Amino acid sequence: MLKIFKHLRNSSFIIFIIILLLAGQASCELSLPTYTSNIINIGIQQSGIENSVPEVIRKSEMDKLFIFLSDKNKNTILNNYKLLNKNSLSDEEYNKYKDSYPALSDEEIYLLNTKDKDIIKKLDNILGKPELIVYGLESDDESAKMIQQQMKNNMTSNMSISNANQNLENMDMFAMLQSMPKKQKNNLIKEMDNQLINLPDAMISQSAVSFVKNEYNEIGIDTGKLQTQYILTTGAEMIGITILSVVAAITVGFLASRVGASLGRTLRSKTFEKVMRFSSKEMTEFSTASLITRSTNDIQQIQQMTVMMLRMVFFAPFMAIGGIYKALSTNASMAWIIGVAVLGVVVIVGILFATVMPRFKKLQNLVDRLNLVTREILTGLPVIRAFSTERFEEKRFDGVNKDLTKVNMFVNRMMSCMMPAMMLVMNAISVLIVWVGAKNIDTGAMQVGDMMAFIQYTMQIVMSFLMISMISVMLPRAAVSANRINEVLEKDIIIKEDKNPQAFDASKKGLVEFKNVSFKYPDADEDILHDINFTANSGETTAFIGSTGSGKSTLINLILRFHDVTKGEIKVDGVNIKNVRLHDLREKIGYVPQKGVLFSGTIDSNLRYGKKDATQEDIIKAAKIAQSIDFINDKEDKFDSEISQGGSNVSGGQKQRLSIARAIAKDPEIFIFDDSFSALDFKTDAKLRKALKSETSNSTVLIVAQRISTILDADQIVVLDEGRIVGKGTHKELLKNCEIYKEIALSQLSKEELENE
């Protein structure tokens, strides 16, 4: 799989952008539970008041707080608050503050003059407990009254005799505290602090905020409006963050799709380029059906996997790590629940992984098999119909189709079980968090909003592991596909080009020489050709004839380097063909295969296939020489007539003549006709050869033929038998001195016809 991803080098910058966007998206999504928690804890429970540091407080209330503060803390507060009264303000300032804080008209107030979060946090720690004590002493509940009575009793027992008769019943609690001896007051404050030691921070914070809320109401601040404003502002921020997250997700999806499509295009291009260089040996090893599957289905699997990896593999770790950090910051005591959730996901995915993974390789092999059977049936339809074996072929296809369907159904069923199982884990974890969280809320160790945030963080962590698990399940199938593509890309090709190619010798233009050439197919035990020697000169026609399997077509294919010789050498224009560029070699040759092959397009595009810049006159001339001009002119669109795939809308003879015309239009140095006249009648064959002779007077012509009549006029005829040359010469010479040629000739023509020829 890693070998495939090296092709992503060109997309490295886009991948870097994707990672940045995923980090931003994860940051946005991880911040949303905090906002949810704030809306519940601060917006609803604390009426929009974020902490125990009041923006504004009456001097009388601040003096009460000072009773419970050390001199150091008192100075810290005074350094960050500004005292306001009628005398210290101008009329304009007074009216401005009075509208916001109506209490200013009756008494002095302190106004917070800092926005520094660190200082506010420090003030929050300082003011929390004093505000809780003052709030408790000022409330009307029974516990507060008991504390007040106890304080009065303590003061009475510690006062001097001269003051023993003083009436303390109606004396203010805070006045009593201020009038206490310093040591006694410190002991009392210390005792109060000890009572608050075990009180949870959440409870201290909420009670301190209640003090601030009461103070705001006394000053004349609309706390209902403050609460609404906080909820709306926080909600608007959540919407903004969600929009950013959505934009990042859409952008990542778009970029990931582009990277995946680019990788798919690159792999298809490289695979096709490699296959185009395959010899018959490599094609036989892979099979056409398998190569089609690898170029389509396998690359599609890799492309989809790439998109999923770019969207999830980088995103999931951001979410998992960030979610764990945020969850532990919210409440570390419930961390074990996250472990249970992750363990549940891992167990489910592990079972799925072990069950499904072995099927993926089988799945791809079955797709290969289905393509092979389909291709065989479709290309062999005429034969199938002729032998009435439709039912047999239908059963054969149905068998392969059922095997593929069975494996696919199993994989899909297993994959469909994953999501319900994951939902069960997630819902069970949610219930567990609520169960444990409710107890923590009851003891004051946790707030409702924190519990809601913890649920969201846990779900994000579970979903992150689910994403990673989904990738791990998809990875084996993609890995199988990647290995199949690598097999093609890394396949060692037999037909290789010289790293320092030579140039052709212009003085030997068109010269073809076979010197002691032997050849055997790869993995074969015996040679197909043995010690072949002959020379084909420019302006001459060299023909090859022999019984079926004598090696005629194999010999011709060696010139084009469809195969490489086992021994000896083949020279074209005086240079060994192994020492020149394949393109340069094949550019010199006009090849007409034994079976005419046409490509989808028009007649004109097929005739220009070997020479794109051929003029219209060249195309017409080639069609006339190949005796195809008549049936072309009979068509409505002439040379613009459509040719279907494989030339299935023209007859065998027409297809062969168009193939010959294509080679003529190329105007090559060397013509190779591999039994290319077999589909022509004798009359057309004779007319074509006559027209061709004048056209190829400056070219080397190599003809493989089965019919004696096709090669009677050849300058040189090479007779092959079981891969060996058993005769070489003209028609008349071979009739005299080659028994095998004579037998072939007599099997096709009578003795009188041969004598007349």
Side-chain angles (χ1 to χ4, degrees):
M1 197 72 186
L2 293 175
K3 292 179 181 178
I4 291 294
F5 287 147
K6 72 181 181 182
H7 299 290
L8 288 171
R9 282 191 298 248
N10 294 335
S11 302
S12 55
F13 179 72
I14 297 178
I15 294 172
F16 176 71
I17 296 298
I18 288 173
I19 293 172
L20 290 181
L21 287 170
L22 289 174
Q25 182 187 351
S27 179
C28 288
E29 294 194 13
L30 287 168
S31 66
L32 290 175
T34 302
Y35 282 90
T36 304
S37 175
N38 289 341
I39 285 178
I40 296 171
N41 292 342
I42 299 173
I44 296 174
Q45 292 184 319
Q46 298 177 189
S47 301
I49 301 169
E50 296 186 41
N51 49 54
S52 61
V53 182
E55 292 283 339
V56 60
I57 182 172
R58 292 172 294 169
K59 183 177 182 299
S60 58
E61 290 301 305
M62 183 66 88
D63 290 339
K64 293 176 183 177
L65 297 176
F66 285 163
I67 297 172
F68 304 98
L69 292 172
S70 66
D71 292 338
K72 181 182 177 181
N73 289 338
K74 192 185 300 183
N75 290 330
T76 301
I77 290 172
L78 291 173
N79 289 335
N80 292 285
Y81 275 91
K82 179 170 67 175
L83 184 63
L84 302 178
N85 55 48
K86 293 179 183 180
N87 300 325
S88 64
L89 299 170
S90 65
D91 292 340
E92 184 180 350
E93 289 177 327
Y94 175 73
N95 292 329
K96 173 187 172 182
Y97 285 120
K98 184 182 176 184
D99 291 339
S100 300
Y101 314 118
L104 183 60
S105 58
D106 298 323
E107 56 182 301
E108 295 178 300
I109 62 172
Y110 279 105
L111 184 68
L112 185 66
N113 62 1
T114 182
K115 297 292 184 182
D116 191 311
K117 291 183 179 179
D118 292 333
I119 294 176
I120 291 175
K121 186 175 181 181
K122 185 177 181 181
L123 294 175
D124 186 42
N125 293 332
I126 293 171
L127 291 170
K129 287 184 180 179
E131 286 178 351
L132 175 60
I133 295 170
V134 172
Y135 179 72
L137 293 175
E138 287 183 335
S139 63
D140 296 329
D141 58 24
E142 292 299 324
S143 59
K145 290 178 180 178
M146 289 176 62
I147 293 171
Q148 294 172 21
Q149 187 59 49
Q150 185 179 0
M151 287 175 61
K152 290 176 181 179
N153 294 336
N154 289 339
M155 286 186 65
T156 303
S157 61
N158 288 287
M159 291 175 72
S160 60
I161 298 174
S162 59
N163 295 324
N165 296 326
Q166 186 177 354
N167 186 6
L168 299 175
E169 290 299 323
N170 298 319
M171 191 174 181
D172 180 68
M173 283 295 303
F174 299 100
M176 283 193 296
L177 285 169
Q178 287 178 331
S179 63
M180 275 185 179
K182 186 174 182 179
K183 185 177 180 180
Q184 187 180 356
K185 182 177 73 172
N186 289 340
N187 290 335
L188 185 61
I189 292 172
K190 186 176 181 180
E191 186 179 342
M192 290 181 179
D193 283 339
N194 290 334
Q195 291 177 358
L196 299 177
I197 285 176
N198 297 323
L199 202 62
D201 292 339
M203 191 171 290
I204 293 174
S205 177
Q206 285 187 349
S207 299
V209 166
S210 297
F211 168 85
V212 176
K213 181 180 177 181
N214 286 342
E215 182 60 16
Y216 282 174
N217 287 330
E218 292 295 329
I219 291 172
I221 297 174
D222 187 350
T223 53
K225 182 179 179 182
L226 192 67
Q227 182 179 34
T228 303
Q229 184 179 359
Y230 180 87
I231 292 173
L232 292 177
T233 302
T234 306
E237 289 177 3
M238 289 182 72
I239 292 171
I241 290 171
T242 303
I243 291 172
L244 288 176
S245 177
V246 169
V247 170
I250 293 172
T251 306
V252 166
F254 173 74
L255 293 177
S257 298
R258 282 184 64 90
V259 172
S262 176
L263 177 63
R265 181 188 62 213
T266 301
L267 290 177
R268 276 189 293 270
S269 177
K270 288 183 179 293
T271 302
F272 187 74
E273 288 174 7
K274 189 65 177 280
V275 171
M276 289 292 285
R277 290 157 51 205
F278 276 3
S279 66
S280 300
K281 179 181 183 296
E282 287 88 37
M283 293 296 293
T284 303
E285 286 182 14
F286 287 102
S287 85
T288 304
S290 179
L291 288 171
I292 291 172
T293 305
R294 291 168 197 250
S295 300
T296 52
N297 185 275
D298 285 321
I299 290 178
Q300 187 69 22
Q301 292 291 333
I302 295 169
Q303 185 173 325
Q304 290 177 354
M305 183 64 190
T306 302
V307 175
M308 294 294 287
M309 287 188 72
L310 289 174
R311 295 181 66 179
M312 291 186 181
V313 168
F314 295 116
F315 182 64
F318 287 142
M319 290 295 292
I321 296 169
I324 291 171
Y325 173 76
K326 289 275 191 177
L328 295 179
S329 299
T330 302
N331 194 304
S333 65
M334 294 200 295
W336 62 274
I337 297 178
I338 298 173
V340 171
V342 171
L343 181 63
V345 172
V346 170
V347 168
I348 292 171
V349 173
I351 295 171
L352 196 67
F353 191 87
T355 309
V356 172
M357 194 178 95
R359 310 282 172 146
F360 283 137
K361 189 167 185 178
K362 185 178 180 182
L363 197 64
Q364 295 304 104
N365 291 334
L366 286 172
V367 172
D368 272 358
R369 179 65 182 161
L370 182 69
N371 283 342
L372 177 64
V373 172
T374 304
R375 190 170 180 275
E376 279 184 347
I377 293 172
L378 292 178
T379 54
L381 270 177
V383 178
I384 292 168
R385 289 167 180 163
F387 284 89
S388 298
T389 56
E390 290 94 339
R391 293 284 179 237
F392 171 78
E393 296 298 340
E394 285 173 7
K395 287 180 181 178
R396 189 159 73 102
F397 176 83
D398 194 45
V400 178
N401 193 25
K402 281 181 178 177
D403 290 341
L404 178 61
T405 303
K406 186 177 178 181
V407 176
N408 254 326
M409 289 289 288
F410 177 83
V411 170
N412 290 335
R413 284 191 187 116
M414 291 302 296
M415 295 298 287
S416 64
C417 291
M418 183 170 67
M419 191 51 68
M422 291 300 173
M423 291 305 297
L424 176 64
V425 170
M426 292 169 71
N427 291 330
I429 291 299
S430 296
V431 172
L432 183 61
I433 292 171
V434 171
W435 177 267
V436 176
K439 293 183 178 180
N440 290 337
I441 292 169
D442 184 53
T443 59
M446 190 179 194
Q447 295 191 59
V448 176
D450 293 336
M451 184 187 73
M452 297 298 293
F454 194 89
I455 292 174
Q456 288 179 284
Y457 287 132
T458 305
M459 293 304 104
Q460 287 175 335
I461 294 165
V462 171
M463 287 303 296
S464 301
F465 279 92
L466 178 58
M467 289 180 196
I468 296 171
S469 302
M470 287 176 65
I471 291 294
S472 65
V473 170
M474 292 175 64
L475 192 59
R477 186 172 185 179
V480 169
S481 296
N483 289 335
R484 284 161 56 88
I485 296 299
N486 276 325
E487 284 176 6
V488 177
L489 295 178
E490 295 177 358
K491 181 65 181 176
D492 188 30
I493 296 173
I494 294 178
I495 308 297
K496 296 177 180 178
E497 292 192 8
D498 197 315
K499 293 181 180 179
N500 300 304
Q502 298 179 16
F504 290 103
D505 187 349
S507 65
K508 297 182 179 181
K509 184 177 179 181
L511 183 66
V512 178
E513 301 170 274
F514 272 61
K515 294 186 176 182
N516 303 317
V517 171
S518 296
F519 171 75
K520 69 175 180 180
Y521 286 105
D523 304 324
D525 295 327
E526 297 181 359
D527 288 347
I528 298 295
L529 297 174
H530 307 268
D531 199 26
I532 304 297
N533 288 275
F534 71 87
T535 300
N537 296 308
S538 178
E540 295 182 357
T541 298
T542 300
F544 302 90
I545 195 166
S547 58
T548 302
S550 60
K552 303 183 298 297
S553 294
T554 301
L555 184 147
I556 289 295
N557 289 337
L558 291 176
I559 300 172
L560 288 153
R561 286 197 74 191
F562 292 162
H563 308 286
D564 269 344
V565 299
T566 308
K567 295 178 183 177
E569 63 176 357
I570 301 172
K571 289 186 175 182
V572 171
D573 290 6
V575 181
N576 191 325
I577 59 174
K578 288 185 178 181
N579 299 331
V580 298
R581 291 178 61 215
L582 279 171
H583 176 268
D584 294 342
L585 171 66
R586 291 167 182 170
E587 195 67 20
K588 289 179 172 291
I589 300 171
Y591 174 62
V592 183
Q594 190 171 7
K595 181 181 178 182
V597 177
L598 298 179
F599 301 96
S600 56
T602 63
I603 292 175
D604 184 77
S605 68
N606 272 278
L607 297 188
R608 293 179 187 275
Y609 193 76
K611 189 178 181 181
K612 300 296 182 184
D613 57 350
T615 64
Q616 190 63 30
E617 289 74 19
D618 293 337
I619 298 300
I620 295 171
K621 182 182 177 182
K624 287 180 179 178
I625 294 170
Q627 307 302 306
S628 57
I629 192 67
D630 291 337
F631 79 79
I632 292 174
N633 286 331
D634 288 341
K635 292 181 177 293
E636 185 178 348
D637 295 323
K638 304 293 190 294
F639 284 91
D640 292 326
S641 300
E642 289 292 323
I643 296 293
S644 60
Q645 184 181 356
S648 59
N649 61 339
V650 292
S651 68
Q654 291 173 341
K655 189 189 299 184
Q656 205 163 58
R657 278 178 280 170
L658 289 174
S659 297
I660 294 169
R662 178 174 60 200
I664 295 169
K666 186 179 179 182
D667 190 23
E669 291 180 15
I670 302 166
F671 283 94
I672 295 179
F673 298 98
D674 187 3
D675 198 13
S676 308
F677 306 99
S678 58
L680 306 180
D681 60 85
F682 287 100
K683 182 180 177 182
T684 304
D685 183 6
K687 289 171 67 177
L688 193 154
R689 283 188 288 109
K690 183 178 179 182
L692 188 63
K693 190 171 184 66
S694 60
E695 177 64 23
T696 60
S697 58
N698 295 320
S699 302
T700 304
V701 179
L702 303 173
I703 298 176
V704 172
Q706 297 284 357
R707 294 199 308 224
I708 290 290
S709 59
T710 303
I711 60 172
L712 288 172
D713 298 327
D715 298 291
Q716 178 181 215
I717 300 173
V718 177
V719 184
L720 293 172
D721 184 49
E722 295 184 357
R724 289 182 170 84
I725 294 178
V726 294
K728 193 182 340 178
T730 63
H731 169 66
K732 290 182 180 180
E733 290 172 349
L734 291 171
L735 282 175
K736 293 178 182 179
N737 56 34
C738 183
E739 192 63 32
I740 291 177
Y741 181 79
K742 188 175 181 179
E743 289 176 4
I744 295 171
L746 288 172
S747 69
Q748 297 181 20
L749 299 172
S750 66
K751 191 173 182 180
E752 292 76 14
E753 288 174 320
L754 287 173
E755 289 175 354
N756 291 333
E757 292 290 346

